[in-house]
Short mmCIF file of all heavy atoms in Angstrom, two decimals:
data_model
loop_
_atom_site.label_atom_id
_atom_site.label_comp_id
_atom_site.label_asym_id
_atom_site.label_seq_id
_atom_site.Cartn_x
_atom_site.Cartn_y
_atom_site.Cartn_z
N GLN A 130 -12.43 -6.07 -11.04
CA GLN A 130 -12.32 -5.81 -9.65
C GLN A 130 -13.10 -6.66 -8.71
O GLN A 130 -12.73 -7.01 -7.61
CB GLN A 130 -12.46 -4.23 -9.47
CG GLN A 130 -11.37 -3.40 -10.13
CD GLN A 130 -11.69 -2.03 -10.05
OE1 GLN A 130 -13.00 -1.63 -10.18
NE2 GLN A 130 -10.84 -1.22 -10.04
N SER A 131 -14.34 -6.95 -9.05
CA SER A 131 -15.13 -7.69 -8.18
C SER A 131 -14.86 -9.27 -8.34
O SER A 131 -15.22 -10.00 -7.42
CB SER A 131 -16.68 -7.52 -8.67
OG SER A 131 -16.84 -7.87 -10.00
N ALA A 132 -14.14 -9.70 -9.32
CA ALA A 132 -13.80 -11.01 -9.53
C ALA A 132 -12.68 -11.34 -8.64
O ALA A 132 -12.52 -12.51 -8.15
CB ALA A 132 -13.45 -11.30 -10.95
N VAL A 133 -11.73 -10.45 -8.43
CA VAL A 133 -10.49 -10.69 -7.64
C VAL A 133 -10.82 -11.34 -6.26
O VAL A 133 -10.18 -12.30 -5.89
CB VAL A 133 -9.74 -9.50 -7.57
CG1 VAL A 133 -8.50 -9.73 -6.49
CG2 VAL A 133 -9.05 -9.15 -8.87
N PRO A 134 -11.72 -10.70 -5.38
CA PRO A 134 -11.96 -11.39 -4.09
C PRO A 134 -12.55 -12.86 -4.16
O PRO A 134 -12.58 -13.47 -3.21
CB PRO A 134 -12.92 -10.37 -3.38
CG PRO A 134 -12.71 -9.09 -4.20
CD PRO A 134 -12.43 -9.64 -5.63
N LEU A 135 -13.14 -13.15 -5.37
CA LEU A 135 -13.67 -14.52 -5.53
C LEU A 135 -12.78 -15.53 -5.93
O LEU A 135 -13.14 -16.67 -5.91
CB LEU A 135 -14.91 -14.35 -6.50
CG LEU A 135 -16.00 -13.39 -6.15
CD1 LEU A 135 -17.04 -13.36 -7.35
CD2 LEU A 135 -16.65 -13.76 -4.90
N VAL A 136 -11.59 -15.12 -6.47
CA VAL A 136 -10.62 -16.01 -6.94
C VAL A 136 -9.23 -16.24 -6.16
O VAL A 136 -8.40 -16.98 -6.50
CB VAL A 136 -10.37 -15.88 -8.42
CG1 VAL A 136 -11.60 -16.02 -9.34
CG2 VAL A 136 -9.75 -14.54 -8.70
N VAL A 137 -9.24 -15.32 -5.15
CA VAL A 137 -8.05 -15.45 -4.28
C VAL A 137 -8.41 -15.51 -2.74
O VAL A 137 -9.61 -15.03 -2.58
CB VAL A 137 -7.02 -14.36 -4.46
CG1 VAL A 137 -6.55 -14.22 -5.94
CG2 VAL A 137 -7.68 -12.94 -4.05
N ALA A 138 -7.62 -15.93 -1.87
CA ALA A 138 -7.93 -16.00 -0.45
C ALA A 138 -8.11 -14.56 0.11
O ALA A 138 -7.47 -13.59 -0.41
CB ALA A 138 -6.84 -16.71 0.34
N PRO A 139 -8.98 -14.22 1.15
CA PRO A 139 -9.07 -12.92 1.60
C PRO A 139 -7.82 -12.34 2.07
O PRO A 139 -7.65 -11.09 1.87
CB PRO A 139 -10.05 -13.29 2.96
CG PRO A 139 -10.85 -14.46 2.49
CD PRO A 139 -9.88 -15.28 1.78
N GLY A 140 -6.82 -13.13 2.65
CA GLY A 140 -5.53 -12.57 3.03
C GLY A 140 -4.76 -12.12 2.02
O GLY A 140 -3.67 -11.41 2.16
N ARG A 141 -5.10 -12.41 0.70
CA ARG A 141 -4.21 -12.14 -0.40
C ARG A 141 -4.81 -11.00 -1.31
O ARG A 141 -4.18 -10.79 -2.38
CB ARG A 141 -4.07 -13.41 -1.26
CG ARG A 141 -3.26 -14.56 -0.58
CD ARG A 141 -1.84 -14.22 -0.65
NE ARG A 141 -1.13 -15.46 -0.20
CZ ARG A 141 0.28 -15.52 -0.20
NH1 ARG A 141 0.94 -14.41 -0.66
NH2 ARG A 141 0.93 -16.58 0.05
N ILE A 142 -5.87 -10.42 -0.90
CA ILE A 142 -6.52 -9.49 -1.80
C ILE A 142 -5.72 -8.22 -2.01
O ILE A 142 -5.56 -7.85 -3.21
CB ILE A 142 -7.87 -9.02 -1.16
CG1 ILE A 142 -8.91 -10.29 -1.19
CG2 ILE A 142 -8.57 -7.81 -1.84
CD1 ILE A 142 -10.22 -9.85 -0.51
N THR A 143 -4.92 -7.70 -1.09
CA THR A 143 -4.11 -6.56 -1.34
C THR A 143 -3.00 -6.88 -2.33
O THR A 143 -2.72 -6.16 -3.14
CB THR A 143 -3.50 -6.02 0.04
OG1 THR A 143 -4.65 -5.53 0.91
CG2 THR A 143 -2.57 -4.89 -0.33
N GLN A 144 -2.43 -8.01 -2.14
CA GLN A 144 -1.32 -8.50 -3.06
C GLN A 144 -1.84 -8.70 -4.50
O GLN A 144 -1.34 -8.43 -5.42
CB GLN A 144 -0.68 -9.78 -2.54
CG GLN A 144 0.25 -9.43 -1.39
CD GLN A 144 0.85 -10.68 -0.78
OE1 GLN A 144 0.22 -11.67 -0.37
NE2 GLN A 144 2.24 -10.89 -0.83
N ALA A 145 -3.21 -9.39 -4.43
CA ALA A 145 -3.73 -9.60 -5.80
C ALA A 145 -4.05 -8.30 -6.55
O ALA A 145 -3.87 -8.25 -7.75
CB ALA A 145 -5.08 -10.48 -5.65
N THR A 146 -4.59 -7.30 -5.73
CA THR A 146 -4.87 -6.05 -6.47
C THR A 146 -3.61 -5.39 -6.83
O THR A 146 -3.48 -4.76 -7.92
CB THR A 146 -5.49 -5.00 -5.27
OG1 THR A 146 -6.76 -5.78 -4.94
CG2 THR A 146 -5.90 -3.72 -5.97
N ALA A 147 -2.49 -5.59 -6.05
CA ALA A 147 -1.17 -4.97 -6.51
C ALA A 147 -0.73 -5.63 -7.75
O ALA A 147 -0.10 -5.03 -8.72
CB ALA A 147 -0.21 -5.10 -5.42
N VAL A 148 -0.86 -7.03 -7.89
CA VAL A 148 -0.44 -7.77 -9.14
C VAL A 148 -1.31 -7.26 -10.30
O VAL A 148 -0.78 -6.96 -11.36
CB VAL A 148 -0.61 -9.19 -8.85
CG1 VAL A 148 -0.45 -9.98 -10.14
CG2 VAL A 148 0.47 -9.78 -7.82
N ALA A 149 -2.58 -7.15 -10.18
CA ALA A 149 -3.37 -6.55 -11.17
C ALA A 149 -2.96 -5.22 -11.65
O ALA A 149 -2.99 -4.99 -12.85
CB ALA A 149 -4.81 -6.57 -10.82
N ASN A 150 -2.64 -4.39 -10.63
CA ASN A 150 -2.05 -3.02 -11.04
C ASN A 150 -0.67 -3.18 -11.72
O ASN A 150 -0.41 -2.34 -12.71
CB ASN A 150 -2.01 -2.14 -9.84
CG ASN A 150 -3.12 -1.43 -9.51
OD1 ASN A 150 -3.41 -0.29 -9.86
ND2 ASN A 150 -4.04 -1.96 -8.66
N GLN A 151 0.13 -4.17 -11.38
CA GLN A 151 1.41 -4.32 -11.99
C GLN A 151 1.16 -4.69 -13.47
O GLN A 151 1.83 -4.24 -14.37
CB GLN A 151 2.05 -5.47 -11.40
CG GLN A 151 2.68 -5.22 -9.91
CD GLN A 151 3.62 -3.93 -9.87
OE1 GLN A 151 3.31 -2.95 -9.90
NE2 GLN A 151 4.86 -4.45 -9.72
N VAL A 152 0.19 -5.53 -13.72
CA VAL A 152 -0.13 -5.96 -15.18
C VAL A 152 -0.56 -4.62 -15.87
O VAL A 152 -0.17 -4.34 -17.05
CB VAL A 152 -1.32 -6.92 -15.13
CG1 VAL A 152 -1.73 -7.11 -16.64
CG2 VAL A 152 -0.79 -8.17 -14.63
N SER A 153 -1.39 -3.75 -15.28
CA SER A 153 -1.81 -2.45 -15.80
C SER A 153 -0.62 -1.61 -16.13
O SER A 153 -0.53 -1.03 -17.29
CB SER A 153 -2.84 -1.83 -14.98
OG SER A 153 -3.19 -0.57 -15.53
N MET A 154 0.44 -1.59 -15.19
CA MET A 154 1.63 -0.76 -15.47
C MET A 154 2.46 -1.36 -16.65
O MET A 154 2.89 -0.61 -17.33
CB MET A 154 2.39 -0.63 -14.14
CG MET A 154 1.67 0.10 -13.19
SD MET A 154 1.06 1.78 -13.63
CE MET A 154 -0.70 1.55 -13.69
N VAL A 155 2.63 -2.62 -16.62
CA VAL A 155 3.49 -3.21 -17.67
C VAL A 155 2.85 -2.87 -19.07
O VAL A 155 3.52 -2.45 -19.96
CB VAL A 155 3.53 -4.74 -17.52
CG1 VAL A 155 4.15 -5.37 -18.79
CG2 VAL A 155 4.37 -5.03 -16.25
N THR A 156 1.53 -3.06 -19.20
CA THR A 156 0.88 -2.67 -20.49
C THR A 156 0.83 -1.21 -20.67
O THR A 156 0.98 -0.79 -21.87
CB THR A 156 -0.58 -3.18 -20.50
OG1 THR A 156 -1.37 -2.65 -19.50
CG2 THR A 156 -0.68 -4.71 -20.40
N GLY A 157 0.89 -0.45 -19.57
CA GLY A 157 1.02 0.97 -19.72
C GLY A 157 2.53 1.35 -20.22
O GLY A 157 2.63 2.55 -20.96
N ILE A 158 3.46 0.51 -19.93
CA ILE A 158 4.72 0.76 -20.58
C ILE A 158 4.81 0.39 -22.01
O ILE A 158 5.24 1.09 -23.01
CB ILE A 158 5.85 0.02 -19.81
CG1 ILE A 158 5.94 0.50 -18.36
CG2 ILE A 158 7.19 0.03 -20.45
CD1 ILE A 158 6.84 -0.44 -17.51
N ALA A 159 4.30 -0.92 -22.22
CA ALA A 159 4.50 -1.50 -23.62
C ALA A 159 3.58 -0.72 -24.56
O ALA A 159 4.05 -0.46 -25.76
CB ALA A 159 3.90 -2.95 -23.55
#
Side-chain angles (χ1 to χ4, degrees):
Q130 291 170 325
S131 62
V133 168
L135 299 176
V136 296
V137 300
R141 295 286 192 170
I142 290 176
T143 298
Q144 287 178 299
T146 303
V148 170
N150 271 271
Q151 295 293 79
V152 171
S153 176
M154 294 305 108
V155 170
T156 56
I158 296 169

